[in-house]
Amino acid sequence: MAELNGRPVGADELQALALTNYGHFTSMRVEDGRVRGLALHLERLARDCRAVFGAELDTGRVRELARRAAPAAGTGVVRVTVFDPGLDIGRLGAGGRPQVLVTTRPAGVLPLPPLRVRSVEFVRDAPEIKSVGLFASLRQRRAAQLAGFDDALFADAGSAVSEGGTWNVGFVRDGQVLWPAARCLLGTTMELVKQVHGSVTEPVRLGDLAGFEAAFATNVAIGVQAISAVDGLALPGSHPVIDLLRRKYLDLPGDQL
């Protein structure tokens, strides 16, 4: 299903999104009409709309459009993409008219099996914004998969770990949850996990990973997913702290969309 401002979208209206890839989005896992971290998703959309288009977004209207598209029962993923169908890439400073595209897709069954990831020196452009420009990140994922891994883990030139291809990364050390202090997308799942379980944030370098008990990835689609390997370093595919985080996250009731 795909609707632009609450009506079926035409191919001509999607042309600007397909050809210029300029916009931003959020993806929400909807379970029986409820969304974990709904306020965080709406805040992100409003914040990114100001950053990308210099415009205010009516989040109440966004919520209404997302509710129209969401499955009435069961589980699905609703993606809200904000873009300008009339975008002129030669006059981006002239202001835009961002519109709301809502699409849906099936949701996977949680939990998912552990990830095996390959580290790569890479920093996303404007990592704080959840932009539709995923080419560079997905290219790193493809390269990692061709090398026999599931995904890529990003680190800067100084080996400081930041995030994964489309997910946040966390670690367990001495029973405590640790998040990397680095520029990254502040994912809604990561923020919710922080709310339900104490943690610390500090710089993490690739050379530090051997001293950790476990590692995990978080986003809406995967929830809390263990990481069983980083490059040649084996990590446990399950851990009591990761299991606890997963339970706490899944136990969140969510908000009515």
Side-chain angles (χ1 to χ4, degrees):
M1 177 181 181
E3 290 186 342
L4 182 65
N5 301 325
R7 57 172 176 75
V9 62
D12 57 331
E13 294 172 308
L14 292 174
Q15 182 170 284
L17 183 62
L19 297 182
T20 66
N21 221 20
Y22 190 84
H24 62 94
F25 74 100
T26 197
S27 293
M28 300 178 283
R29 185 181 177 95
V30 184
E31 298 177 346
D32 295 325
R34 305 185 75 87
V35 177
R36 297 181 187 88
L38 177 60
L40 295 173
H41 286 287
L42 296 176
E43 289 167 8
R44 165 194 281 164
L45 287 170
R47 180 179 64 248
D48 287 355
C49 193
R50 288 190 290 268
V52 174
F53 293 105
E56 294 299 323
L57 186 67
D58 183 347
T59 55
R61 175 63 171 157
V62 169
R63 186 174 183 174
E64 176 186 338
L65 296 173
R67 184 166 55 244
R68 281 171 46 92
T75 304
V77 175
V78 174
R79 169 169 163 157
V80 177
T81 302
V82 180
F83 76 109
D84 181 1
L87 184 72
D88 180 351
I89 61 173
R91 303 186 69 250
L92 289 172
R97 298 180 58 202
Q99 310 294 307
V100 178
L101 174 70
V102 179
T103 55
T104 60
R105 60 179 173 86
V109 178
L110 302 179
L112 297 175
L115 284 170
R116 298 178 64 256
V117 303
R118 183 178 78 162
S119 65
V120 60
E121 182 182 323
F122 180 76
V123 178
R124 292 190 305 112
D125 183 39
E128 298 86 357
I129 297 173
K130 194 172 179 69
S131 73
V132 299
L134 296 176
F135 169 78
S137 296
L138 295 184
R139 184 167 177 263
Q140 297 297 339
R141 173 177 289 170
R142 179 178 185 272
Q145 291 178 354
L146 290 174
F149 295 86
D150 298 310
D151 211 337
L153 176 67
F154 302 156
D156 66 14
S159 294
V161 174
S162 57
E163 58 188 346
T166 52
W167 37 271
N168 291 110
V169 62
F171 302 94
V172 180
R173 183 183 61 194
D174 299 328
Q176 184 176 45
V177 175
L178 185 154
W179 302 94
R183 290 184 66 197
C184 67
L185 180 71
L186 299 179
T188 57
T189 304
M190 178 183 72
E191 293 296 303
L192 290 173
V193 170
K194 285 182 178 180
Q195 290 176 17
V196 299
H197 192 89
S199 62
V200 297
T201 301
E202 63 183 59
V204 175
R205 288 181 166 74
L206 292 173
D208 300 329
L209 302 191
F212 294 152
E213 298 168 42
F216 60 93
T218 65
N219 76 13
V220 164
I222 65 179
V224 179
Q225 184 176 10
I227 294 174
S228 61
V230 179
D231 299 326
L233 174 67
L235 293 163
S238 64
H239 188 278
V241 172
I242 295 177
D243 294 341
L244 178 61
L245 296 180
R246 185 182 295 120
R247 288 197 302 272
K248 286 184 174 182
Y249 172 71
L250 293 177
D251 285 346
L252 289 171
D255 301 303
Q256 193 68 44
L257 185 58

